[in-house]
Amino acid sequence: MTFDRSIKIAPSILSADFADFGREIRAVEDQGADWVHVDVMDGHFVPNLTFGPPAVKAFRKHVNTFMDVHLMIAPVDPFIEAYAEAGADLITAHVEAGPHIHRTLQAIRATGKKAGVALNPGTPAEAVEHVLDLADLVCVMTVNPGFGGQKFIDMTGKIRKLRQMIGDRPVHIEIDGGVDPVTAPLVAAAGADVLVAGSAVFKGGSVSNAEPYGENIRAIRQAAQAAL
């Protein structure tokens, strides 16, 4: 996939109908999603439990765009290979999940996958300064990870700092948490290009009535693009 900084909308399937993931993934892609975001939680690093490698492998069959797998788990290194084999295109690990983020990013790259590094709201941009050459993406959490539907925490200062630190490196800035047509312009103007949205994409629609997904995706994209 060639690198570009155009706005990409990545619906989080944490907000989809759990009984119908295959059709939900196809529906959001048909309605204009650029990426599909999969939130993996372990009930330990974050207070929730979601998808193991077998679930991700099942999702993969339905994803035609790009599968972005966000590991909110600790320890993370023992599971990298399993999620790579399950079909992730990009695997993101948290700076806070272990003592050796440099080694973790090396391990992700060694599987042939793209590598992302995530920052919780309380973690400064400087925490990734020395691993930017190993990263394809920096994910800025704009909620405390663990649950969908939370209120947006303003991290625009951190995003601007990251954008400056990244310079001309081919590294995406992804925003995860509370993204909607109101918050999307703030993060896009600060330098973000991948916007993860859960409830803001899936609200008002269903697999049998997917047009609202498309309207929601377009509304977020247009609001973000208008700020550029």
Side-chain angles (χ1 to χ4, degrees), residues 198-211:
S199 35
V201 166
F202 286 95
K203 69 175 186 202
S206 65
V207 284
S208 52
N209 173 35
E211 284 81 9

Side-chain angles (χ1 to χ4, degrees), residues 18-128:
F18 275 34
D20 211 351
F21 275 125
R23 290 204 304 158
E24 286 276 51
I25 289 166
R26 291 197 297 274
V28 289
E29 287 191 334
D30 289 346
Q31 291 294 327
D34 301 289
W35 292 11
V36 172
H37 187 83
V38 180
D39 287 306
V40 174
M41 307 181 186
D42 65 358
H44 161 73
F45 180 66
V46 292
N48 204 348
L49 198 58
T50 61
F51 315 115
V56 174
K57 188 176 182 180
F59 303 154
R60 177 75 256 183
K61 299 183 183 80
H62 303 280
V63 177
N64 292 314
T65 53
F66 184 85
M67 187 160 70
D68 167 23
V69 177
H70 179 188
L71 301 183
M72 288 169 268
I73 65 178
V76 67
D77 292 13
F79 299 97
I80 287 168
E81 209 157 300
Y83 283 99
E85 285 170 6
D89 291 305
L90 180 143
I91 296 173
T92 296
H94 273 256
V95 165
E96 309 86 2
H100 303 293
I101 189 62
H102 189 285
R103 184 158 67 198
T104 300
L105 294 172
Q106 283 180 319
I108 295 170
R109 294 199 145 215
T111 67
K113 306 298 181 177
K114 292 193 178 297
V117 57
L119 296 166
N120 281 335
T123 304
E126 288 78 7
V128 297

Side-chain angles (χ1 to χ4, degrees), residues 171-193:
V171 178
H172 297 290
I173 297 177
E174 176 176 80
I175 305 303
D176 189 352
V179 171
D180 61 24
V182 176
T183 57
L186 306 176
V187 296
D193 61 297

